[in-house]
Amino acid sequence: MEALDEAREDAAFRWYLRGVRTAYSIPGFILMSSFVGFSALAKAAGVGLWASVFMTGIVWALPAQVVLVGAIIAGNSLAAAVFAVALSSVRLTPMVVAIVPEMRGPRTRPITLYLLSHFVAVTSWVLAMAKLPDVPPARRTAFYFGLGSTLTLSNMVVVGSVYVLADTLPREISAALFMLTPMYFLTSLWGSAREWATNLAMVFGIVLGPIAHVLAPSFDLLIAGFGGGIGAYVIYRLAHRRRTA
Amino acid sequence: MSYFSNDAWWWPFFFILIAGWLATDAWRYLGVYLGGRIRDDSEMLVLVRAIATALVAAVIGNLILFPSGELASTPAALRIGAAVAGFAAYHIARKTVIVGIIVAEAILLAGLYAL
C-alpha cells in the first residue's frame, strides 16, 4: 500500500515537471518577451521596481496589467482603476469556465481549482487547452500547477531584470516586442480551436474589438466577446441543424 | 486617491492589490464556481468557448490597431499588413506558430527600418 502511494506521488511530481518544461516552450518565451515590453511600460509610467514585479505575480494577466498601468498614468482614483481593470478581465470568467472541466480529475478538491485558477491567463490557457487532453485526468492539476506557476515566476524575474538592466532598447526592437503578443495569440488561438464555431468567433472578435473600442471604449471587450461569441455559436448551430435535418 | 497621491511605502502595493488582484481573481473564482456546474460534454461549453475566444480575439485586434508602447508610433497599415502576412504564412506552413510570428516580425522590422 505504501509503495503504491509512493508511486502515485512520484507520478504526480513527474507530471508537475512536465508542466514546468511546457512553460519553457516557444509560447513561453514569446510571453516573456511581451513582459519585456510591459516592464519598459511600467518603468516609464513611474511604477517602482518591486511594485512592477508584485503586479506581475498578483494580477497575472497582461491586458489587465496594461490597463492598470494606463489608469496609474492617467491619475485615476482607486475606484476608477478597479472598474477599468475589472472590465478588462471579465473574459477570465468564460476562460476559467472552459478550462475547469478539462482540468478536473476524479478526486480534485474545489480549493485546488480555486488556487490554480489564479494562473489562468491567455498563454497558459492556450497551452493547457492544447496539452491537457494528453495528460491523465488525475495528473492534470499537477501538470497545470507546474505550467502556471513556472510561467508566473519566470515572468516576475523577467520584469524585475529588465526593469533594472534595459533602459534603452532601439525604437524598432521595442516596437517589434509589442507585436509578438498579438501574433502569438492570433496563431496559437486559431490552432487550438475544437470546433469551427471557435474560429468564426475569433474572426468576429478581432473585427468587432477595434470597432467597439472606437464606439464604446470601456465596454469594447465585453461587446466584442459576447456579440462575436454568441453570433458565431448561433451560426454554427443553424448550420448543424440544416445538415442533420 | 490615485496611485501617486500617498507617499507611504505600502500604498502602491495596496493600490495594486485592490485594483489588480481583486479585480482579476474575482472573475477567475467566479469561473471556477460556474465551471463546476457544467457537464464536460455540455453544449453550453461550445458557447462558452466561443465567447472566451471572441474576447481574446478582441484583445488581439486592439493590440494591433491600438497598440501601446513604441508600436503605437508605427503606421497602422504596416502592422495590419505584417499580421495578415504572418497569419497567411502560418497557414502555408501547416499551422506552425513560429513561422507566422517570424514572418510578421520580419515584415514589421523591414518596414520600420525602410521608413
Side-chain angles (χ1 to χ4, degrees), chain B residues 37-110:
Chain B
R37 272 148 194 78
I38 292 181
R39 283 213 344 266
D40 277 26
D41 54 345
S42 158
E43 184 60 32
M44 188 71 192
L45 270 180
V46 178
L47 174 62
V48 170
R49 269 201 293 272
I51 292 172
T53 305
L55 274 161
V56 177
V59 174
I60 299 170
N62 287 347
L63 283 174
I64 294 172
L65 271 169
F66 309 105
S68 49
E70 280 296 341
L71 194 57
S73 57
T74 62
L78 177 60
R79 297 193 300 264
I80 296 169
V84 169
F87 191 65
Y90 158 81
H91 270 281
I92 292 166
R94 277 184 264 162
K95 298 196 176 179
T96 313
V97 170
I98 192 70
V99 172
I101 294 168
I102 289 172
V103 168
E105 290 289 353
I107 289 175
L108 180 73
L109 282 171

Side-chain angles (χ1 to χ4, degrees), chain A residues 208-244:
Chain A
L208 282 176
I211 293 174
H213 185 79
V214 172
L215 298 178
S218 314
F219 302 97
D220 53 352
L221 298 184
L222 281 185
I223 294 172
F226 281 88
I230 292 170
Y233 177 78
V234 168
I235 293 171
Y236 176 75
R237 268 297 125 231
L238 289 177
H240 262 252
R241 190 164 305 158
R242 198 173 312 141
R243 205 171 301 156
T244 47

Side-chain angles (χ1 to χ4, degrees), chain A residues 30 59-60 78 85-86 89 91 93 117-118 120 171 174 176 180 187 190-191 195 198 201 209-210 220-221 233 237, chain B residues 1-2 19 24-25 27-29 32 36 40 43 48-50 53 55 57-58 62 65 70 79 90-91 97 101 105:
Chain A
I30 291 165
V59 177
W60 190 239
L78 181 55
V85 174
S89 308
R91 70 192 167 79
T93 299
S117 76
H118 177 69
V120 173
R171 242 190 82 243
S174 158
L180 281 171
T187 49
W190 188 269
E195 56 272 317
T198 311
D220 53 352
L221 298 184
Y233 177 78
R237 268 297 125 231
Chain B
M1 291 301 263
S2 73
T24 50
D25 265 8
W27 296 117
R28 291 182 173 114
Y29 298 156
V32 176
D40 277 26
E43 184 60 32
V48 170
R49 269 201 293 272
T53 305
L55 274 161
N62 287 347
L65 271 169
E70 280 296 341
R79 297 193 300 264
Y90 158 81
H91 270 281
V97 170
I101 294 168
E105 290 289 353

Side-chain angles (χ1 to χ4, degrees), chain A residues 201-212 224, chain B residues 57-58 61-62 65:
Chain A
M202 233 186 111
V203 175
F204 286 165
I206 212 164
V207 173
L208 282 176
I211 293 174
Chain B
N62 287 347
L65 271 169

Side-chain angles (χ1 to χ4, degrees), chain A residues 4-22:
Chain A
L4 197 67
D5 276 350
E6 238 165 64
R8 240 183 237 137
E9 258 169 46
D10 181 52
F13 186 64
R14 239 196 351 261
W15 282 103
Y16 162 83
L17 287 181
R18 274 179 209 181
V20 170
R21 210 161 50 216
T22 307

